[in-house]
Amino acid sequence: MNVEKIMVIGAGQMGSGIAQVCAQAGFTVLLNDLKPEFVERGLAGIEKNLARQVLKERITEDEKVAILANITASTNLVDAGTVDLVIEAAVENMAIKASIFKELDEIAPAHAILASNTSSLPITEIAAATTRPEKVIGMHFMNPVPVMKLVEIIRGLATADEVYKTIEDITKKLNKVPVEVNDFPGFVANRILMPMINEAIYTLYEGVATKEAIDDVMKLGMNHPMGPLTLADFIGLDTCLYIMETLHEGFGDDKYRPCPLLRKYVKAGWLGKKSGRGFYEYA
Ligand code: CAA
């Protein structure tokens, strides 16, 4: 299937990163969010990233202008009426995602593929909110999107092979590496990453070592680019807790129980880098 026009829903960190890589690959992009100021903030982030690439002489000023011209702001889901693909990167909440997908199903052309960037919610359940479950798929990008090579492509129970193939091809056009995954809680990335982060939080909670020591062990001993507590702050502690709860509920296995310290921080509003404080403090 030929995809030319893509709507990205959610202009936050993930959505704006996805819009940037789609525009850089030459797709026509609609960046959608609830309010104009949310979209403007997302566009400002994209412009800043592209300006850095110009400074590093990876792209020219003209290319930057052309990439930005590929992106149009949208605050109305009705704009999905002309697109070939929607990539949803709204908040991680099943009720909200189901409602967005139900609406998109009514608006988007019959041929359009509806993808979700969910980090752990079941694609099959999101697809059930639509009348086209064969055209619903997971496209899980990693943060920061312009840098990270992986896209987990998640097949829902009903996802058609041709839809999978189209999304695999688009992912390659975005200069990313697609990895095929089936629809189980946390898929592969977060089923492995989040219990490691949760265990690092237990290690701190039980007083085994300081936060700096825990991060140093994993950075220097395992060559991880960031220690697990720094990474948790970077991802957002609310997101980490939500993913652990999804794993805990989805598998019904106590090995996925979220650490009480993680719950406490989230209740305190210590959400990591985005709120200025998590395990570490940020200026
Ligand atoms: N947007 C765009 N580019 C960015 C960026 C951002 N937010 N942050 C960093 N970069 C770029 C920099 O410009 C730099 O580019 P060049 O090499 O071309 O100059 C490059 O990334 C390296 O950046 P820095 O030198 O500033 O810093 P660094 O070497 O420490 O790298 C990092 C930063 C890439 C974030 C690295 O620390 C890293 O890989 N961390 C782990 C990230 C990770 O694990 N991500 C997955 C999170 S889990 C997830 O996303 C899934 C989920 O569902 C929760």
Side-chain angles (χ1 to χ4, degrees):
M1 194 192 114
N2 193 29
V3 170
E4 286 173 10
K5 196 167 175 185
I6 302 175
M7 174 183 267
V8 179
I9 299 179
Q13 206 174 14
M14 295 305 285
S16 58
I18 296 167
Q20 179 186 323
V21 295
C22 290
Q24 276 191 277
F27 291 100
T28 302
V29 180
L30 289 173
L31 181 56
N32 174 282
D33 210 318
L34 295 171
K35 293 186 181 169
E37 55 266 37
F38 297 163
V39 183
E40 277 154 27
R41 198 170 51 204
L43 286 169
I46 295 172
E47 187 159 12
K48 201 169 135 203
N49 276 341
L50 294 176
R52 203 167 52 222
Q53 290 191 32
V54 173
L55 271 181
K56 288 180 179 168
E57 297 183 348
R58 294 214 180 100
I59 59 170
T60 64
E61 179 64 30
D62 286 352
E63 280 166 338
K64 180 189 119 178
V65 171
I67 293 164
L68 287 170
N70 283 345
I71 312 176
T72 307
S74 156
T75 48
N76 197 335
L77 275 194
V78 167
D79 296 336
T82 59
V83 303
D84 309 303
L85 166 65
V86 179
I87 306 175
E88 172 276 326
V91 290
E92 286 291 275
N93 174 302
M94 182 49 93
I96 292 173
K97 289 203 195 285
S99 137
I100 291 174
F101 273 72
K102 186 172 184 301
E103 214 178 322
L104 284 173
D105 188 34
E106 286 157 14
I107 298 165
H111 72 272
I113 296 174
L114 308 180
S116 175
N117 176 56
T118 180
S119 53
S120 62
L121 292 172
I123 297 302
T124 306
E125 194 175 337
I126 296 172
T130 74
T131 59
R132 60 176 103 186
E134 72 288 353
K135 294 202 176 71
V136 178
I137 193 162
M139 248 184 130
H140 183 211
F141 292 80
M142 303 292 130
N143 186 14
V145 177
V147 179
M148 307 302 279
K149 280 284 175 199
L150 173 71
V151 182
E152 268 188 307
I153 314 258
I154 303 108
R155 282 179 182 268
L157 198 57
T159 308
D161 286 346
E162 63 198 291
V163 169
Y164 178 83
K165 181 81 182 80
T166 302
I167 294 301
E168 189 181 54
D169 290 346
I170 289 171
T171 302
K172 288 178 187 162
K173 279 190 195 150
L174 301 180
N175 201 21
K176 305 277 178 205
V177 179
V179 174
E180 182 178 355
V181 169
N182 282 319
D183 189 19
F184 286 96
F187 316 131
V188 170
N190 280 320
R191 181 169 178 170
I192 297 172
L193 175 68
M194 277 308 153
M196 184 204 67
I197 286 178
N198 196 45
E199 202 57 33
I201 302 171
Y202 267 111
T203 309
L204 178 68
Y205 178 61
E206 291 170 9
V208 180
T210 63
K211 55 183 186 287
E212 292 85 359
I214 294 163
D215 276 349
D216 278 348
V217 166
M218 299 306 285
K219 262 196 310 185
L220 306 177
M222 283 76 190
N223 246 357
H224 289 193
M226 286 173 163
L229 301 172
T230 303
L231 181 56
D233 276 357
F234 176 71
I235 292 168
L237 301 191
D238 50 344
T239 303
C240 294
L241 177 58
Y242 192 79
I243 294 170
M244 282 313 295
E245 279 170 339
T246 304
L247 291 170
H248 196 199
E249 192 198 320
F251 290 115
D253 187 334
D254 271 354
K255 79 176 175 183
Y256 299 109
R257 74 218 176 284
C259 178
L261 189 63
L262 174 60
R263 283 193 194 286
K264 196 174 191 175
Y265 276 32
V266 171
K267 283 203 172 117
W270 295 6
L271 306 182
K273 206 171 169 191
K274 65 184 168 191
S275 74
R277 178 157 196 176
F279 293 105
Y280 297 91
E281 286 183 51
Y282 301 86

